[in-house]
C-alpha cells in the first residue's frame, strides 16, 4: 500500500524524509552528539568523546553514519576533523519529544 497524502497535507516524500531522520538519530549516543553540537558551533571527535564520555571508535562510527546520511557536516583542519550540524531542524524534533511528556 502506497501512501500519497495524509491528513494535514503531509505528502509521502516528506514522511519518508522524517522517518529517515528519526531512524538515523535513534540512538542515545547520536542524540547526545546532536544535543552537544546544538550548543557548540563545531567540535572535534576528542571534544565530543570527553563531554559525553564515550570511546573514540564508537563516537567516530556514529559521527560518520550521521555525516553520510546528511545530518552532520565535517571539515578537516590539520589533524583534526571538526563536526557541526547540517540538518539543524533535527534539534527541534528532539526538543519536541523531550517536552511531550510521552511516558518518559
Amino acid at each position: 500500500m502506497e501512501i500519497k497524502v495524509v491528513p494535514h497535507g503531509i505528502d509521502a516524500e516528506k514522511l519518508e524524509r522524517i522517518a529517515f531522520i528519526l531512524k538515523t538519530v535513534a540512538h542515545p549516543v547520536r542524540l547526545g552528539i546532536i544535543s552537544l553540537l546544538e550548543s557548540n558551533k563545531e567540535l572535534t571527535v576528542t571534544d565530543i568523546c570527553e563531554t559525553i564520555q564515550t570511546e573514540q571508535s564508537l563516537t567516530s562510527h556514529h559521527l560518520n553514519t550521521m555525516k553520510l546520511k546528511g545530518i552532520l557536516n565535517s571539515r578537516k583542519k590539520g589533524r583534526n576533523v571538526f563536526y557541526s550540524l547540517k540538518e539543524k531542524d533535527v534539534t527541534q524534533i528532539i526538543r519536541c519529544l523531550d517536552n511531550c511528556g510521552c511516558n518518559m
Side-chain angles (χ1 to χ4, degrees), residues 22-84:
L22 289 173
K23 286 184 223 174
T24 301
V25 301
H27 190 281
V29 171
R30 293 180 190 174
L31 292 170
I33 291 168
I34 290 167
S35 295
L36 193 57
L37 288 173
E38 178 184 23
S39 55
N40 295 276
K41 183 178 178 179
E42 60 181 13
L43 294 169
T44 65
V45 177
T46 303
D47 295 331
I48 294 167
C49 290
E50 289 174 358
T51 305
I52 64 174
Q53 299 179 347
T54 54
E55 296 292 324
Q56 184 170 346
S57 61
L58 175 68
T59 305
S60 292
H61 168 74
H62 287 297
L63 288 166
N64 190 48
T65 298
M66 289 192 290
K67 179 185 167 192
L68 290 172
K69 295 193 176 192
I71 305 294
L72 301 180
N73 286 319
S74 69
R75 74 173 178 87
K76 194 164 184 163
K77 182 176 181 184
R79 296 178 64 167
N80 291 315
V81 178
F82 290 86
Y83 290 90
S84 61

Side-chain angles (χ1 to χ4, degrees), residues 17 26 33 89 92:
R17 179 67 183 151
I33 291 168
D89 291 340
Q92 292 177 8

Side-chain angles (χ1 to χ4, degrees), residues 97-104:
L97 290 170
D98 187 40
N99 293 326
C100 80
C102 306
N103 297 319
M104 294 179 162

